[in-house]
Amino acid sequence: KQLIDAVALHQAVGGAPAKADVIVVLGAGTAWPGILLCGSLLRLQHGVWLYQRGYAPRLIVSGGADPSRSWVPAEAELMRQMALTMGARPEDVVVEDRSSRTYENGVEVAAIMRREGWRSALLVTDALHMRRARLVFERLGIQVYPAPSHTLGIGTTTPGQGLMVLERVGYEIIATAIYKLRGWV
């Protein structure tokens, strides 16, 4: 347990909120019939919390549709709807619904930001995903301020949770290595 916690904390990226042009919330998946997974809800909740406290005047929610489930709306659209129920103003929520992986999140969001003249972003994802996501966005010329959401599993309490965290850490290490090989980070 202590070893798993140490590995997870080494991989995790923290950060204190800072003022930015925009808050970017990366999705973490959906389930049938169009429900945001817990990770997506935690990220969105944190992004809206930052927005309501004035860290940035707008949100970009990022995540596309699953082509194998064409009847389910894009994740970003589901996040937009939920952000509105949480109190965000419709004109302050920008939808990026074309991406299906972290690199594509970065490319699509960076294009929106360039078009709008926005240069800095509070990046909201979980602490274990933040390292790779931040590297992608910085590679694309975005000034990133990490603002990690609550991360499930850090500070594990059961062996099963520990194995899930270890799997996530391993995934992120391998994914970051692949992104480096592809020149995405």
Side-chain angles (χ1 to χ4, degrees):
K1 179 182 172 330
Q2 290 174 339
L3 177 61
I4 291 171
D5 286 345
V7 170
L9 290 173
H10 174 72
Q11 176 66 26
V13 173
K19 295 269 187 180
D21 295 327
V22 67
I23 298 163
V24 176
V25 180
L26 302 183
T30 61
W32 185 87
I35 299 168
L36 293 171
L37 293 179
C38 185
S40 291
L41 285 171
L42 289 169
R43 293 173 185 187
L44 181 62
Q45 181 182 35
H46 187 56
V48 172
W49 183 87
L50 293 165
Y51 161 81
Q52 290 172 335
R53 275 142 192 85
Y55 285 100
R58 62 199 62 85
L59 295 151
I60 297 177
V61 290
S62 181
D66 181 343
S68 69
R69 296 185 288 161
S70 59
W71 60 91
V72 177
E75 183 174 14
E77 180 54 35
L78 295 171
M79 287 195 295
R80 184 191 73 78
Q81 292 169 14
M82 184 63 70
L84 298 180
T85 68
M86 293 176 178
R89 296 178 342 159
E91 61 271 20
D92 293 342
V93 183
V94 178
V95 171
E96 181 290 296
D97 61 1
R98 297 176 55 172
S99 61
S100 62
R101 63 175 54 119
T102 304
Y103 176 70
E104 293 169 0
N105 293 137
V107 169
E108 298 296 335
V109 168
I112 291 168
M113 290 180 67
R114 277 192 294 279
R115 185 179 68 234
E116 298 295 332
W118 304 330
R119 302 176 50 85
S120 62
L122 264 169
L123 184 59
V124 179
T125 187
D126 66 69
L128 294 176
H129 181 232
M130 184 64 75
R131 182 180 311 273
R132 179 165 54 103
R134 183 185 69 194
L135 289 170
V136 166
F137 278 76
E138 287 175 345
R139 173 81 176 197
L140 293 165
I142 305 300
Q143 174 64 52
V144 174
Y145 302 107
S149 64
H150 175 74
T151 303
L152 296 172
I154 291 187
T156 62
T157 57
T158 68
Q161 288 174 327
L163 289 174
M164 288 174 35
V165 169
L166 197 55
E167 179 185 15
R168 290 262 338 270
V169 168
Y171 178 88
E172 285 302 326
I173 290 169
I174 292 168
T176 301
I178 291 168
Y179 274 40
K180 285 181 181 177
L181 288 172
R182 290 185 174 171
W184 292 351
V185 297

